[in-house]
Amino acid sequence: MATIEEFHIDFLQTILSEADSRGLFNSQSFYEIVCEELVSTGELTVNYTEADYLKIGGRSPMEACGYDFDEERGILSVLVHQFYQTNTIETITRQTIEQKFNRVKNFIISSFEGLYKKLEQTSPAYSMTYFIFSKFERKEIKKIRLFLVSDGKITRTFRSINAEGIAGITLEYRIVDIEYLYKNHISQNSDSSFEVEMNLPCLRIPIESDKYSSYLSYFTGDQLVDIYENFGQRLLEQNVRTFLQFKGGVNKGIRNTIEGAPEMFFAYNNGITATASKLEFDHDGNIRKIHNLQIVNGGQTTSSIYAAKKNAKLDVSNVTVQMKISVVGSEENHSDFVSKVAEYANTQNKVNKSDFFSNSPFHKEFKQYSSRLWAPMSSGSQKMTRWFYERVRGEYLNEQAYLTKAKQKQFQLENPKSQVVDKTFLSKSENAWLQKPDIVCRGAQYSFADFAVYITDLLEKDNLAITENYFKDSIARVILFKAVEKLISQSDWYNGGYRAQTVAYTISYLSWFTRSKQKKYFNFNEIWTSQKIEDDLIDVLKVVTKEVYNSITNPPFGHANVSQWCKKQECWKEIKKMNIEEIKIPSRYYLESEEVQYIKKEVVTEKKMDSGIEIQTFVYELGVEKWNRLYEYFSLRENRSTITLTQFDILKKVAKGNIVLPSEKQANILFKLYEKAINEGLIL
């Protein structure tokens, strides 16, 4: 495992690489990366927004670098950063901490008093201050959190700050330093992530398994509200659904039960299915502490009870919610176990297969191409490199953890920082080309959730859709996305703000123009081959970016908040109305429909061949012993009728050793039987 010093160096290099390749200020790159971490831990929602404001002079200096609002819990988070950008870990002094927090407090107070009236309406700072003002005026802010984020480390002498309120609203302080980020890196999916202290009676279920243990218990409505109040979406970071509040029929039913017959809640509601990495008990056998509690089914129940008390002011003290909780025996299997429990748990509202994207073969296949394919050499370079797909943040650093210094250097040369692509960034570049700029503008995590639906539908229609060509085109779209980011930052017309929105709408417009106006397909192989955007395409992008920026920063009457306007479908409709005569995309970037179909046919044929060999190898390497266990499983009366006579005959022959090297067709049949048994719960 990397030390905190090694993590700090890697973290800094990631920031600098992202900033350079995307045309960001280093501080912007830092802010975005840290906020994504805070979203993953549940500290922020997916709607966090960057918006700088700085006023040093005068009696009340003010500072803020972004904000977030948890609509459900009414929590306003305002962030400020102290970015040192040094190779060694700096110490954040108490003086710096107090100075930063005082500035952001002054900013919030001023925003409550109408600071937005003094700002330019098209600036991100205006959107931020107006948003805060409007939420305050409507009394929607229940709690304020001040975040100081830094690549430094808190001084050892610092203890705490007295948390007085602002305008009668509870105030909390959060300091996110390099140690916080490091601990988050090393403790992902471990039982040390957080602990819930409770006093719950429980009944252990007599299950003979070394994989997990299960218990039955219950929460009172007030207990459930307190847990969600303290931990929020950290309880659901591995859950499959976003809260629906009272929009669905189930939630309306929950509310009606709470209002009219709270004592019947236990009988009417299916309760909660949860997992934990560890339970601690008192001397009476009651649960006193739950490590890493995850509500994998029952998020709507939790949300509805919380909203009933906090928003509708209903009494939930007589509500009782049953809980089935399973404790995973092995830390390394925790994530997969949670996903399986979530997938098979009874649900109150339909959960689509796409909600379990973490287990999608997409990641495995995309990673395989990432590890196997070398990118073409460009810009006179004589060193071949790869594009590293990082499904989990920190994976790039972890792969180097046990390498020698020489091997680390070789790894970094072959997988440069500038060519690391994480799943959320990939979703943004893909969704932008899929003409979903409004989705991209809602944030990286929201974009990723939408991308999960798209990919799942794609794979359900065609399980061979993720080909080598798809990988290359996707990387080309990443290159395009980063090039547009950099182009905007360097443009003389760019005054700052709304760069992310301009990027998303520019790429979506280019996609729309190619397909709808030109009736062509874009030839991404031109970008993959050169590994950059050539000047002739840059000239086109210069025109489009400027027009898009002018359009989104001058929204129709009634849509003064540019950030919110860009999240609406209406904004995309307005952009498509633009008539830019100067667009002349060089013909080499176009493909005809016939060419696209031919390329697709070729790559699918090649993938079928590769997949066939992989499956044959898997069947052979699984071994006769495990195939014999599968044969015994499907020989059981209740299972025998679920497969055909042909399938059973092939399984019997391979289990008895009569087939040593199955054909491709036989291997496919055997592999499907293997998957069927595993999905039904067989443990080999």
Side-chain angles (χ1 to χ4, degrees):
M1 182 62 68
T3 65
I4 189 171
E5 289 77 16
E6 291 170 330
F7 172 79
H8 172 256
I9 291 295
D10 180 80
F11 180 69
L12 182 60
Q13 289 305 311
T14 299
I15 291 165
L16 299 179
S17 175
E18 285 285 288
D20 180 63
S21 65
R22 298 171 57 196
L24 300 171
F25 291 121
N26 293 341
S27 58
Q28 290 177 311
S29 176
F30 167 73
Y31 174 82
E32 184 176 306
I33 289 171
V34 173
C35 283
E36 285 300 310
E37 287 292 326
L38 293 175
V39 170
S40 74
T41 58
E43 295 280 6
L44 298 180
T45 75
V46 297
N47 295 314
Y48 75 85
T49 304
E50 178 199 0
D52 284 315
Y53 184 82
L54 180 64
K55 179 177 175 291
I56 303 295
R59 294 183 178 179
S60 300
M62 294 182 281
E63 185 177 359
C65 63
Y67 67 104
D68 176 71
F69 190 69
D70 186 330
E71 294 281 354
E72 188 166 45
R73 294 191 288 165
I75 298 176
L76 170 68
S77 299
V78 183
L79 299 91
V80 67
H81 61 62
Q82 177 62 46
F83 182 44
Y84 292 103
Q85 195 181 323
T86 55
N87 289 328
T88 56
I89 300 175
E90 299 287 340
T91 298
I92 315 172
T93 65
R94 182 177 185 88
Q95 180 182 1
T96 298
I97 293 170
E98 291 179 347
Q99 180 190 67
K100 290 287 184 177
F101 279 136
N102 283 333
R103 287 179 179 179
V104 76
K105 279 167 55 182
N106 290 339
F107 169 77
I108 293 172
I109 293 169
S110 187
S111 294
F112 285 173
E113 295 172 349
L115 174 62
Y116 75 94
K117 298 173 184 177
K118 302 176 183 178
L119 304 178
E120 172 58 46
Q121 287 193 18
T122 59
S123 71
Y126 174 91
S127 294
M128 173 168 60
T129 55
Y130 180 76
F131 180 89
I132 293 171
F133 173 80
S134 61
K135 291 295 180 184
F136 176 68
E137 284 287 290
R138 293 197 290 267
K139 302 186 185 309
E140 294 180 16
I141 302 174
K142 311 299 182 186
K143 182 186 294 185
I144 299 171
R145 285 181 178 170
L146 307 185
F147 280 85
L148 169 58
V149 297
S150 177
D151 58 336
K153 187 177 179 181
I154 303 172
T155 177
R156 292 181 180 179
T157 60
F158 179 78
R159 292 293 177 265
S160 63
I161 297 178
N162 293 328
E164 73 281 9
I166 297 179
I169 302 171
T170 303
L171 182 65
E172 289 184 2
Y173 295 93
R174 293 275 198 277
I175 302 177
V176 177
D177 65 349
I178 195 67
E179 192 166 32
Y180 174 101
L181 297 168
Y182 175 65
K183 287 179 179 178
N184 187 50
H185 167 73
I186 64 175
S187 67
Q188 286 181 349
N189 298 319
S190 72
D191 65 349
S192 62
S193 54
F194 66 99
E195 301 171 354
V196 180
E197 294 187 2
M198 299 298 300
N199 181 18
L200 300 175
C202 71
L203 172 66
R204 177 162 184 158
I205 307 303
I207 297 172
E208 295 182 9
S209 173
D210 57 356
K211 301 288 184 183
Y212 75 102
S213 56
S214 280
Y215 303 82
L216 292 178
S217 185
Y218 66 88
F219 289 118
T220 66
D222 285 330
Q223 285 176 321
L224 201 54
V225 167
D226 289 341
I227 291 173
Y228 186 63
E229 176 82 9
N230 290 326
F231 297 100
Q233 294 198 9
R234 295 179 72 183
L235 298 169
L236 301 116
E237 64 187 37
Q238 290 176 300
N239 196 12
V240 297
R241 71 177 100 221
T242 301
F243 285 169
L244 304 176
Q245 297 180 4
F246 290 122
K247 296 177 183 177
V250 169
N251 293 325
K252 290 178 183 176
I254 289 175
R255 177 172 181 166
N256 291 339
T257 302
I258 293 172
E259 279 189 295
E263 70 282 354
M264 299 301 296
F265 196 95
F266 186 88
Y268 292 165
N269 187 267
N270 286 338
I272 288 170
T273 300
T275 64
S277 56
K278 181 181 177 182
L279 295 182
E280 294 184 30
F281 303 91
D282 62 19
H283 62 277
D284 293 322
N286 295 329
I287 299 172
R288 70 177 186 87
K289 189 175 290 186
I290 307 174
H291 292 252
N292 201 24
L293 174 65
Q294 295 287 282
I295 298 175
V296 296
N297 180 253
Q300 293 179 58
T301 295
T302 306
S303 173
S304 298
I305 292 173
Y306 180 86
K309 179 171 182 176
K310 293 295 182 177
N311 299 338
K313 308 301 181 185
L314 300 179
D315 180 8
V316 299
S317 60
N318 291 324
V319 169
T320 304
V321 185
Q322 61 182 310
M323 175 178 67
K324 177 179 72 175
I325 185 165
S326 298
V327 182
V328 188
S330 170
E331 286 185 18
E332 61 186 34
N333 295 327
H334 185 257
S335 182
D336 288 341
F337 184 90
V338 171
S339 296
K340 283 296 182 185
V341 172
E343 187 169 359
Y344 294 116
N346 291 327
T347 56
Q348 296 172 354
N349 282 27
K350 184 178 181 292
V351 179
N352 298 315
K353 293 179 182 178
S354 57
D355 295 325
F356 307 100
F357 188 55
S358 60
N359 291 329
S360 172
F362 168 82
H363 299 295
K364 178 184 176 182
E365 295 185 24
F366 207 85
K367 185 69 175 179
Q368 286 175 342
Y369 289 123
S370 168
S371 303
R372 179 166 63 84
L373 294 177
W374 293 95
M377 290 183 288
S378 62
S379 303
S381 172
Q382 299 302 308
K383 186 68 178 177
M384 295 185 71
T385 61
R386 294 187 179 94
W387 284 83
F388 187 96
Y389 178 58
E390 192 176 54
R391 177 186 173 186
V392 179
R393 189 175 293 280
E395 194 174 4
Y396 180 81
L397 180 60
N398 288 343
E399 288 207 14
Q400 305 172 58
Y402 302 106
L403 299 179
T404 63
K405 292 295 182 184
K407 289 291 185 181
Q408 279 186 6
K409 186 175 181 181
Q410 180 183 350
F411 177 88
Q412 291 165 7
L413 287 173
E414 293 178 353
N415 302 273
K417 268 286 186 183
S418 59
Q419 291 177 197
V420 175
V421 182
D422 68 64
K423 61 185 181 181
T424 52
F425 191 91
L426 178 68
S427 76
K428 290 196 296 183
S429 60
E430 289 295 274
N431 275 338
W433 190 258
L434 290 168
Q435 299 177 30
K436 299 178 180 179
D438 53 311
I439 298 296
V440 179
C441 290
R442 295 187 186 188
Q445 296 295 331
Y446 195 97
S447 178
F448 178 70
D450 184 89
F451 180 62
V453 175
Y454 167 76
I455 287 293
T456 303
D457 288 344
L458 183 66
L459 288 173
E460 284 183 350
K461 294 173 185 174
D462 179 9
N463 64 349
L464 299 175
I466 310 305
T467 62
E468 179 178 314
N469 204 58
Y470 175 86
F471 173 81
K472 291 178 178 179
D473 284 358
S474 295
I475 296 302
R477 289 188 279 269
V478 168
I479 294 171
L480 174 63
F481 197 96
K482 289 186 174 185
V484 176
E485 286 184 311
K486 201 166 189 176
L487 172 64
I488 293 169
S489 297
Q490 296 172 347
S491 297
D492 54 11
W493 51 262
Y494 181 61
N495 297 319
Y498 311 117
R499 190 180 60 100
Q501 292 86 344
T502 308
V503 173
Y505 277 93
T506 293
I507 293 174
S508 290
Y509 186 84
L510 184 67
S511 172
W512 174 80
F513 180 84
T514 301
R515 289 294 297 124
S516 300
K517 288 289 188 180
Q518 302 299 105
K519 309 298 181 185
K520 308 280 187 183
Y521 290 86
F522 197 88
N523 183 13
F524 282 104
N525 191 54
E526 286 290 321
I527 298 177
W528 169 260
T529 302
S530 61
Q531 290 289 292
K532 64 178 183 179
I533 308 301
E534 301 286 0
D535 290 343
D536 52 1
L537 187 55
I538 286 289
D539 290 339
V540 173
L541 294 171
K542 284 180 178 178
V543 175
V544 179
T545 51
K546 185 176 181 180
E547 292 293 331
V548 167
Y549 180 79
N550 288 336
S551 177
I552 65 173
T553 54
N554 290 280
F557 180 78
H559 298 280
N561 190 319
V562 176
S563 296
Q564 296 303 315
W565 166 241
C566 289
K567 295 176 183 178
K568 299 180 182 296
Q569 269 282 317
E570 289 81 358
C571 181
W572 176 224
K573 291 176 183 177
E574 288 298 315
I575 292 294
K576 286 187 287 187
K577 292 178 183 178
M578 295 191 312
N579 184 19
I580 311 175
E581 296 181 358
E582 298 96 320
I583 293 185
K584 291 183 176 60
I585 299 174
S587 59
R588 63 194 178 92
Y589 290 106
Y590 285 145
L591 290 174
E592 299 292 344
S593 178
E594 294 78 8
E595 294 177 273
V596 172
Q597 294 305 316
Y598 174 78
I599 293 170
K600 183 177 180 181
K601 184 179 178 181
E602 289 293 304
V603 296
V604 167
T605 301
E606 183 179 334
K607 180 168 182 176
K608 281 182 179 179
M609 188 179 300
D610 291 342
S611 298
I613 294 170
E614 285 180 12
I615 291 173
Q616 283 177 292
T617 302
F618 174 84
V619 169
Y620 175 76
E621 292 180 346
L622 192 64
V624 174
E625 182 182 342
K626 290 186 176 179
W627 284 116
N628 196 52
R629 289 173 64 183
L630 279 161
Y631 171 66
E632 291 173 354
Y633 174 78
F634 282 111
S635 295
L636 297 173
R637 180 181 297 176
E638 62 268 26
N639 298 329
R640 176 64 189 83
S641 61
T642 65
I643 65 174
T644 67
L645 182 62
T646 300
Q647 289 174 318
F648 187 75
D649 183 56
I650 293 172
L651 177 60
K652 180 179 179 180
K653 287 178 179 177
V654 76
K656 301 306 178 184
N658 296 329
I659 297 177
V660 179
L661 293 172
S663 67
E664 184 177 326
K665 184 176 180 180
Q666 289 171 330
N668 277 319
I669 291 172
L670 291 166
F671 184 70
K672 287 178 180 177
L673 290 176
Y674 166 83
E675 285 190 317
K676 176 178 171 62
I678 295 299
N679 288 333
E680 289 173 358
L682 179 65
I683 300 174
L684 292 176

